[in-house]
Amino acid sequence: MPQIIDGKAISAQIKEEVKARVAVYRERGAEITLAVVQVGNDPASSVYVGNKKKACAYVGIRSLSYELPEETTEEELLALIADLNSREDVHGILVQLPLPQQIDEHKVICAIDPSKDVDGFHPQNVGALCTGEEGFVSCTPAGIIQLLKRSGIVIEGRECVVIGRSNIVGKPMALLLLRENGTVTICHSKTKNLKETAKRADILVAAVGKPRMITADYVKEGAVVIDVGIHRNKDNKLCGDVDYESVAPLSAAITPVPGGVGPMTIAMLMYNCVEAFRFREQDR
Ligand code: NAD
């Protein structure tokens, strides 16, 4: 039987650690604040934003909510970000993606002060990750590193294959595994021999965005399998990018969906908010 990597328990542990750090700052009179910006009312985004605000309340971080109408212009959003950048009492800024089509997402990400970019999407933070400097790391891949480490899985020296090269998951995931001294291969939609390459992995990360695509044919016996995907099947049940039923029996360890990678993203967002406050204090 594989080790089931328990994202619920590990994310709860991280939230408790964050809560304890926040409490120390609060005793000194500091109020860590996250501004959460949502444009339009996409139902999935509303659920994510609601969960982020709930997590803030749980760990003791103040959240400021900006709910802008669907027809908000790019200029209006950029003006709000400029205001939040300049506010001393705002430590983190989160703009929920995707944005309506009249707004250029890249421009918006670049407008956020990198020292408040708790999502870790700003090119300056991505660059810092590349060069090994301090900065914010995208929450989902940062959470996956925590899942691995806290489950006692060694990364150093092992073959790591990441399927997917998005800016939010695949690329930062590969860089983080490299930082942990893994030997990293990135696969994507144009990769030839995907199955053979994936089968080399000691640690396989599936961030491909295709329900249950990664079957037993892609997985070496004894591999650690991390499933980033979240999908709803036709019965409205959650599933991942990995075909859990066929892959679990041959893996050494695996993340379930739900209860694997999913809960880690918000826990790491909370962690990044406290880090934003710490960086600011360091700079004073
Ligand atoms: P994306 O669509 O931006 O990227 C998917 C990547 O997979 C692309 O780089 C593409 O090249 C690659 N790909 C697509 N088809 C492929 C194929 N047939 N073979 C090989 N590679 C292929 O998606 P994303 O934002 O990186 O997210 C990936 C998955 O993770 C999605 O299911 C998403 O819902 C989920 N996700 C989960 C969390 C979480 O908190 N758990 C966070 C972000 C994303």
Side-chain angles (χ1 to χ4, degrees), residues 140 164-166 169 188-189 194 207-210 228-231 262 265:
T140 303
R165 59 172 162 185
S166 70
V169 186
H188 47 79
S189 53
L194 180 63
V208 67
K210 301 259 177 340
V228 189
I230 314 178
H231 315 276
T265 302

